[in-house]
Amino acid sequence: MVDWNLAVATATRLVRPGPEVSRDEARAVVAELRRHAKASEEHVRGFTRLGADEADDTPVLVVDRPGWVRANVAGFREILKPLLDKMQQRRGSTPGGAVLGAVGGKVTGVELGVLLSFLSSRVLGQYETFAPATRELPAGENGGGRLLLVAPNVVHVERELDVEPHDFRLWVCLHEETHRTQFTAVPWLRDHLQSEIQSFLAETDVDPMTVLERLRDAAQALVGGRPEGEEGDSGRSLVELVQTPAQREILGRLTAVMSLLEGHADYVMDGVGPDVVPSVAEIREKFQQRRAKGASRLDLALRKLLGLDAKLRQYRDGERFVRAVVDEVGMDGFNRVWTSPNTLPTKAEIAKPADWVTRVHRRPEPGTP
């Protein structure tokens, strides 16, 4: 159903070259990112009060853009396996299914490669948790993931923003280390996310005609071709428009979790920053401006199509949620969010932090036994 090797080959062929650096400069960047990742552990643990006992067991991998692509293809291949197996069985029972599958797999592989080549120049770092451990992509012995830092992109952005390189590299590591701490300190988090994703995929319609019909409706909505008076879909991405109602419900829960994780990382990055990153205020201001405007009109269009604008909202909304809750109940009170899936905020609570505080920190009325 997907030619994964072709996806990697396509992305590697199309990926933009990184910034020009000498071999010695490249080695120095890699070494510094490793040092900052290690130093960030103590800073993040102290600020968040989360005991990530397994953090030392989680590898830090400083990669180039093709390395990031290979890691993500491995993750996609693992997480999508149940869905693709189901689609393969469905297609195998139809006349000519094998031929269609072979052709379709190559087409999908190329499409995925194009998408990953676009994204590979934009990601600074990532906590990858789903790909199985290999020699090229080692993972913690306790079943954890690995922390990826994309060195060419870090150098590219620090030059583009004209900020102090050493400060910027530590600032990035603080954000990514927070993600590693979240997953290593909260043992159920990975399984919960995987369960939600699998539930989302299980609702996917494997009938090609149904998918095509939804895509046609989505395309009409995106170009303004919906019937007059119909509810507008201009705020949705193509990804959202082709979903079933059940999938939208699951996506709402996933959006809330991702908003929490990203907002928490931004909050920690800014909270730790003033003590260890002298130019944090300048970095934050310039980075926020870069996030908001995008690189070009094409970049803005692709961000909208792929739903990346929603990702930017997750940073903003999640950070506001974390800040409001910490201001109200302190860091220990906020950390009750990690107790179980039931204490995670809903999408509505991300927008209204006081509702989460009331639900999770509710106290009995006076006189109640």
Side-chain angles (χ1 to χ4, degrees):
M1 299 302 296
V2 180
D3 189 329
W4 299 105
N5 293 331
L6 184 58
V8 172
T10 301
T12 302
R13 186 175 68 254
L14 296 178
V15 71
R16 298 177 183 178
E20 291 187 11
V21 294
S22 69
R23 183 169 295 182
D24 288 342
E25 287 175 321
R27 288 173 177 164
V29 171
V30 170
E32 184 170 18
L33 286 173
R34 290 187 183 279
R35 288 197 305 272
H36 285 331
K38 181 64 178 176
S40 295
E41 291 182 31
E42 183 177 350
H43 296 314
V44 171
R45 291 188 201 184
F47 185 82
T48 63
R49 302 177 192 171
L50 291 174
D53 295 335
E54 297 177 13
D56 290 333
D57 187 44
T58 306
V60 175
L61 307 179
V62 182
V63 299
D64 57 10
R65 290 167 179 174
W68 179 86
V69 167
R70 289 191 293 271
N72 278 269
V73 166
F76 287 151
R77 191 170 189 166
E78 183 70 15
I79 202 72
L80 293 175
K81 190 176 186 302
L83 171 64
L84 296 180
D85 286 347
K86 183 170 72 171
M87 294 180 72
Q88 185 71 34
Q89 292 171 4
R90 178 77 169 264
R91 177 170 285 176
S93 64
T94 61
V99 175
L100 289 172
V103 175
K106 292 190 180 301
V107 171
T108 307
V110 170
E111 291 172 340
L112 178 59
V114 171
L115 171 60
L116 289 173
S117 71
F118 170 76
L119 295 175
S120 66
S121 62
R122 285 155 174 76
V123 177
L124 299 179
Q126 174 186 354
Y127 184 79
E128 205 297 313
T129 184
F130 296 119
T134 63
R135 184 171 64 178
E136 186 182 38
L137 198 62
E141 293 181 3
N142 296 311
R146 69 284 294 168
L147 182 62
L148 305 176
L149 296 169
V150 191
N153 296 348
V154 173
V155 173
H156 172 77
V157 174
E158 70 190 27
R159 290 179 179 178
E160 180 185 324
L161 298 181
D162 189 25
V163 293
E164 210 290 317
H166 306 294
D167 284 3
F168 183 74
R169 294 167 194 174
L170 176 55
W171 188 73
V172 170
C173 287
L174 289 170
H175 181 101
E176 303 307 333
E177 175 58 36
T178 303
H179 288 316
R180 179 165 68 160
T181 297
Q182 290 163 347
F183 281 90
T184 54
V186 185
W188 53 264
L189 183 57
R190 178 188 181 278
D191 289 342
H192 174 70
L193 275 178
Q194 186 168 20
S195 175
E196 290 281 56
I197 292 170
Q198 291 303 332
S199 296
F200 180 88
L201 295 176
E203 292 290 335
T204 299
D205 236 316
V206 295
D207 176 41
M209 292 307 298
T210 302
V211 174
L212 286 173
E213 187 176 329
R214 284 215 190 93
L215 284 170
R216 193 179 305 115
D217 292 343
Q220 290 175 352
L222 286 174
V223 300
R226 68 181 70 83
E228 186 176 353
E230 186 175 321
E231 182 178 350
D233 282 318
S234 59
R236 292 190 195 168
S237 69
L238 180 60
V239 176
E240 292 173 296
L241 286 167
V242 298
Q243 291 161 5
T244 66
Q247 284 178 313
R248 292 194 186 109
E249 183 178 338
I250 298 169
L251 184 67
R253 297 197 297 268
L254 280 169
T255 298
V257 176
M258 297 312 298
S259 297
L260 170 69
L261 298 181
E262 296 294 356
H264 183 233
D266 265 13
Y267 178 80
V268 172
M269 184 168 59
D270 288 346
V272 174
D275 292 331
V276 297
V277 182
S279 59
V280 65
E282 177 191 1
I283 291 173
R284 183 63 158 158
E285 181 181 359
K286 290 183 175 180
F287 195 76
Q288 287 287 67
Q289 291 173 354
R290 182 181 185 273
R291 269 183 182 172
K293 70 180 182 181
S296 66
R297 299 183 78 175
L298 175 62
D299 189 61
L300 290 171
L302 285 170
R303 277 169 34 176
K304 173 64 180 173
L305 181 67
L306 299 173
L308 300 182
D309 280 347
K311 175 82 168 176
L312 300 182
R313 289 195 297 274
Q314 287 174 11
Y315 286 103
R316 295 193 299 268
D317 297 346
E319 195 274 342
R320 282 196 291 265
F321 170 84
V322 176
R323 185 174 302 280
V325 172
V326 173
D327 286 348
E328 179 70 20
V329 296
M331 184 63 74
D332 290 335
F334 166 80
N335 281 340
R336 289 182 64 176
V337 78
W338 311 116
T339 304
S340 75
N342 293 329
T343 55
L344 290 172
T346 64
K347 190 175 180 180
E349 288 171 341
I350 288 288
K352 296 183 177 181
D355 290 352
W356 180 88
V357 172
T358 299
R359 177 170 68 87
V360 175
H361 289 268
R362 67 166 65 94
R363 296 177 176 84
E365 295 294 330
T368 302

